[in-house]
Amino acid sequence: MNSRTIDLEVKTDGRGKLIPIEYPTQLGFPLKRVYYIYDVDNDIVRGHHSHRNLEQILIAVNGSIQVRVKTPFSEEIHTLDDPSKGLYVGPMIWREMFDFSDGAVLLVLASHEYDESDYIRDYEQYKKEATTYFEEHKEQR
Ligand code: TYD
């Protein structure tokens, strides 16, 4: 599937930890947008959409968050609970974020500006478009 965990290099010294994220060394796409999600109740599920073109990296900079990534062909659940790990999510991957712990902060690095026309929010529509897309991108299934 076109989604995978990325290990970020931590700069540790006696004063604590620092993680730089720079294009193209740590980031496979030039960064156009950053947003973060926090103050999410534990019973809330966010996401429920796919993007046609957007690439993103999700990082739990605090706390723990579950992320379901799926295509019509496969499904994975990742626990994000380590600021030194990112979850890359490529185009045409359906995602749901849930089980936010108290104080969890989800940082998202995105390859493009916010564009509502890049979203697919209806799962039936997603399945239709994704089935066509993955015919041409079988390795990303
Ligand atoms: P939404 O896509 O519903 O969040 P999630 O993916 O977590 O379910 O976005 C919530 C609101 O924020 C919605 O009104 C759109 C707006 N928004 C922006 O203005 N810019 C952004 O970069 C993002 C991601 C959302």
Side-chain angles (χ1 to χ4, degrees):
M1 191 193 298
N2 197 16
S3 176
R4 69 196 76 88
T5 305
I6 294 169
D7 290 321
L8 301 165
E9 192 183 332
V10 187
K11 310 284 180 179
T12 306
D13 58 30
R15 300 166 300 159
K17 298 182 194 300
L18 180 153
I19 297 178
I21 305 178
E22 187 171 308
Y23 170 81
T25 333
Q26 292 90 8
L27 202 58
F29 51 82
L31 186 64
K32 290 278 179 62
R33 178 166 51 112
V34 173
Y35 61 93
Y36 39 101
I37 298 174
Y38 63 103
D39 205 8
V40 179
D41 285 345
N42 183 259
D43 58 352
I44 296 290
V45 183
R46 299 191 62 120
H48 282 126
H49 64 253
S50 162
H51 290 279
R52 294 186 173 92
N53 295 306
L54 191 70
E55 296 178 275
Q56 294 185 311
I57 291 179
L58 281 54
I59 302 166
V61 290
N62 192 53
S64 128
I65 299 149
Q66 304 277 359
V67 183
R68 175 181 294 110
V69 282
K70 66 179 191 177
T71 71
F73 308 95
S74 53
E75 173 170 338
E76 293 170 4
I77 293 182
H78 294 268
T79 302
L80 305 187
D81 60 0
D82 179 345
S84 74
K85 310 258 185 241
L87 179 66
Y88 170 81
V89 183
M92 282 305 212
I93 304 288
W94 188 266
R95 83 285 314 271
E96 293 165 11
M97 296 86 81
F98 59 100
D99 214 357
F100 284 68
S101 68
D102 273 358
V105 182
L106 179 63
L107 176 69
V108 183
L109 313 178
S111 64
H112 293 88
E113 294 87 348
Y114 179 72
D115 173 9
E116 188 56 39
S117 71
D118 186 60
Y119 279 74
I120 309 173
R121 296 186 184 276
D122 177 75
Y123 194 69
E124 290 308 309
Q125 176 67 22
Y126 166 71
K127 271 201 295 195
K128 240 188 262 174
E129 288 192 36
T131 304
T132 308
Y133 175 85
F134 288 112
E135 273 302 306
E136 294 192 358
H137 301 86
K138 290 205 167 70
E139 74 292 351
Q140 296 180 14
R141 287 178 168 190

